[in-house]
Amino acid sequence: MRTAKILTLAAFLIAAALGTTAFINAKHTNVPIADNKGFALIELYTSEGCSSCPPADELVAKIQKENADKPVYILAYHVDYWNRLGWKDQFSSADFSKRQNEYANYLNINSVYTPQIVVNGRTEFVGSEEGTLRNAIRTNLQKSSSAQLDLSVSATNSSHADLKYTTQGADKSTVLQVAVLQKNAQTKVLRGENGGHTLSHVQIVRELQEVSLKGNNGIANITLPHGFDTQNWEIMGFLQNTSNGAIIAASRVSFTGEAGIGAMVKSSK
């Protein structure tokens, strides 16, 4: 009789322990896990007049394809200081050369060059260094995000759009940079170092506009470049600290609708 009681008690204790374990596991399963995943914003400084640039252009195109479902953002800025050497890059802008020089000050480097990549405003290296780029992406994807950016856009006409933004974690030193991107293009280069070659480009920055943040929510009027269409363009926004150049959040929106007028998809991260 005593043995039977002991066995019954043991069975009860085991069942209770299993029940407690099941309850704990269920509780953990139902608790939402905070999404602290990082991101990698890759800024390539390139030029059609630079013979060292096509490998970097090809590299970011490959990275773009491989990371289509990840928060990896690519912006290709075509600088203008190569234009005097035989070929004028149709995508180049003095504004992009100026931005690259600002990074030289942020990152304490003596001079700018092409191809150059800057990741999240804090790391720079030669744009064709595939291993370095992949390591930088991996490292930044594993970091926790300190801020958040959500975007939605409606095009008012073929030359302007209203960008609605919501931010978290931005301070008084933070601005919203808005890039209007042409997703891809090809150019047959006739002169200069790449003369006789047809070059392919992705994520070409055609306009870059700085927006001063007014609280955590706001609307900014964005200029759409000549030649804009809804199929081959997108808007990318990112929060940047003007004191040190650090980029703390990024997001994108793709266009839908006809001929530049219509609704757009909410931000994709």
Side-chain angles (χ1 to χ4, degrees):
M1 178 69 70
R2 184 177 181 183
T3 301
K5 289 182 179 179
I6 292 174
L7 290 175
T8 300
L9 178 61
F12 174 78
L13 292 174
I14 292 172
L18 290 174
T20 302
T21 303
F23 173 76
I24 293 172
N25 287 338
K27 185 176 181 181
H28 279 274
T29 301
N30 292 329
V31 173
I33 299 174
D35 183 6
N36 291 322
K37 292 182 179 179
F39 68 97
L41 187 132
I42 300 158
E43 296 179 82
L44 169 66
Y45 292 88
T46 185
S47 172
E48 292 182 342
C50 161
S51 61
S52 300
C53 288
D57 296 330
E58 293 170 6
L59 174 59
V60 295
K62 180 166 66 172
I63 293 295
Q64 163 102 348
K65 185 176 181 180
E66 291 176 0
N67 294 276
D69 60 341
K70 297 178 182 178
V72 175
Y73 308 98
I74 294 173
L75 303 95
Y77 300 90
H78 289 237
V79 298
D80 71 336
Y81 49 81
W82 279 91
N83 290 353
R84 64 184 183 275
L85 300 179
W87 178 253
K88 184 177 180 180
D89 187 334
Q90 64 174 318
F91 304 116
S92 65
S93 170
D95 291 338
F96 304 154
S97 300
K98 179 182 178 182
R99 179 170 176 79
Q100 188 182 24
N101 277 286
E102 289 172 351
Y103 271 130
N105 293 327
Y106 285 138
L107 302 174
N108 295 314
I109 57 177
N110 294 325
S111 62
V112 297
Y113 58 91
T114 55
Q116 182 184 32
I117 279 178
V118 180
V119 180
N120 285 6
R122 304 306 295 151
T123 306
E124 69 85 22
F125 47 87
V126 176
S128 54
E129 293 182 352
E130 182 170 353
T132 306
L133 177 56
R134 291 187 181 279
N135 287 336
I137 292 171
R138 186 181 307 110
T139 297
N140 283 283
L141 288 181
Q142 293 173 350
K143 290 181 178 179
S144 297
S145 298
S146 61
Q148 185 174 332
L149 173 65
D150 290 295
L151 303 173
S152 62
V153 188
S154 59
T156 56
N157 52 52
S158 60
S159 60
H160 290 88
D162 287 333
L163 177 74
K164 295 181 180 180
Y165 62 84
T166 301
T167 68
Q168 292 181 16
D171 59 24
K172 62 181 180 180
S173 298
T174 304
V175 296
L176 172 61
Q177 300 282 4
V178 181
V180 183
L181 303 173
Q182 185 174 347
K183 294 181 182 179
N184 53 71
Q186 283 190 333
T187 300
K188 185 175 181 180
V189 179
L190 302 179
R191 296 176 298 278
E193 291 189 1
N194 290 313
H197 296 277
T198 298
L199 305 181
S200 297
H201 310 297
V202 298
Q203 297 301 96
I204 311 157
V205 180
R206 301 299 301 275
E207 294 283 346
L208 183 68
Q209 184 172 330
E210 183 176 302
V211 177
S212 297
L213 297 175
K214 298 178 180 179
N216 293 331
N217 303 278
I219 300 177
N221 187 258
I222 304 301
T223 300
L224 301 176
H226 176 72
F228 158 82
D229 67 73
T230 58
Q231 301 302 313
N232 196 38
W233 296 70
E234 69 178 2
I235 286 181
M236 192 173 295
F238 53 97
L239 300 177
Q240 186 162 33
N241 187 303
T242 57
S243 298
N244 58 21
I247 294 169
I248 60 174
S251 188
R252 66 163 64 92
V253 283
S254 295
F255 295 89
T256 62
E258 298 294 332
I261 302 175
M264 301 180 191
V265 179
K266 193 178 179 182
S267 55
S268 171
K269 301 171 189 170

